[in-house]
Amino acid sequence: MELTPVLRSEWLKIRTLRSLPGALLALFAATTAFSAIAGVSETSDPGFDPLFTSLSGVVPGQIAAVSFGAMAVSSEFQSGALRLSLAAVPRRGRWFAAKAAVIAVPALLVGLVTALAALLAARAGLGTAADGLGTGEQVRGVVGCGVYLMLMALFAAGLAALLRSGVATLSLLIPFILVVSFVIGDATGTVADFLPDKAGQLVLRETYDGTLGPWSGLAVTALWAAAALLAGAWSLRRRDA
């Protein structure tokens, strides 16, 4: 079977499963709202980073991106849906590649729109405090933010395929992002620099410390996402539907 019909089928699932467009809408709303709030907050902190402040809504907003990726895959493990999918597309690797693609594209597009909206909303509140931001830095932040959100969605999708459960995936990732990574986030020059979220978020910063830069940090997040997808694909091939 050619890949195009598989992509169309998987895209139809994304569009018709109500919780998935809802997750993308939540991504946009939460990220933009939290960035706008950050923009009108106190900026007298000597460590103030106007670019990260403008895009800081990504930190809570990424939960929606993770949920989108996890639910898109975990829905296949409910009510025997995976058996029907694999009956239509017996080549499991091709089916999983199509699933990953229809997760990646909308996550990237919504992520880019969200990042631009968040930047504009926060800059309106920051006023002259953001005058030092150059065009190149802002473009890098918006593009990097969209790519980061896509990678986190794919990371969650791979884990959901491995664990075969959206609940288990979110129970693992959400506390990690909100608690574990936050607690050790100030530790630079250590393993904390290579955590999937902390590494990728360097692209959102005007200034940064540690061993990684904006794009090398995003590459680390890409490696985490690739490893999760490979693990998910392996599990899909090895285990019964």
Side-chain angles (χ1 to χ4, degrees):
M1 176 179 288
E2 295 181 359
L3 184 59
T4 301
V6 185
L7 287 169
R8 288 174 180 166
S9 174
E10 294 305 317
W11 173 237
L12 181 62
K13 294 177 185 177
I14 295 290
R15 289 171 53 196
T16 55
L17 191 59
R18 190 173 301 175
S19 60
L20 298 181
L24 293 178
L25 179 61
L27 169 62
F28 177 85
T31 301
T32 305
F34 278 101
S35 289
I37 293 170
V40 296
S41 299
E42 178 61 48
T43 59
S44 60
D45 183 356
F48 168 67
D49 186 322
L51 183 62
F52 185 74
T53 298
S54 299
L55 297 172
S56 60
V58 170
V59 177
Q62 68 183 322
I63 299 301
V66 166
S67 299
F68 172 71
M71 291 187 299
V73 172
S74 65
S75 62
E76 296 286 347
F77 297 101
Q78 299 173 7
S79 304
L82 183 60
R83 294 189 184 93
L84 295 176
S85 296
L86 295 180
V89 189
R91 297 183 63 176
R92 299 187 178 199
R94 177 168 295 184
W95 173 81
F96 192 58
K99 176 68 76 174
V102 299
I103 291 171
V105 172
L108 175 61
L109 294 178
V110 173
L112 291 172
V113 172
T114 297
L116 180 59
L119 179 66
L120 293 175
R123 286 212 56 173
L126 287 172
T128 58
D131 286 348
L133 282 177
T135 300
E137 293 168 331
Q138 294 178 77
V139 171
R140 185 246 293 170
V142 169
V143 173
C145 181
V147 174
Y148 170 74
L149 290 170
M150 176 192 72
L151 292 174
M152 291 302 288
L154 290 174
F155 182 47
L159 287 181
L162 177 64
L163 300 176
R164 297 197 161 203
S165 169
V167 173
T169 301
L170 296 178
S171 296
L172 176 67
L173 284 182
I174 291 177
F176 174 81
I177 292 171
L178 295 182
V179 180
V180 177
S181 187
F182 178 78
V183 169
I184 64 176
D186 292 334
T188 57
T190 67
V191 69
D193 291 348
F194 295 88
L195 295 176
D197 57 330
K198 291 301 177 185
Q201 288 174 20
L202 286 173
V203 79
L204 310 179
R205 295 186 177 275
E206 181 182 21
T207 58
Y208 41 87
D209 298 316
T211 56
L212 298 174
W215 299 114
S216 57
L218 206 58
V220 169
T221 304
L223 289 175
W224 279 94
L229 289 170
L230 288 173
W234 174 85
S235 176
L236 187 65
R237 286 178 177 273
R238 293 289 182 176
R239 297 166 66 180
D240 292 335

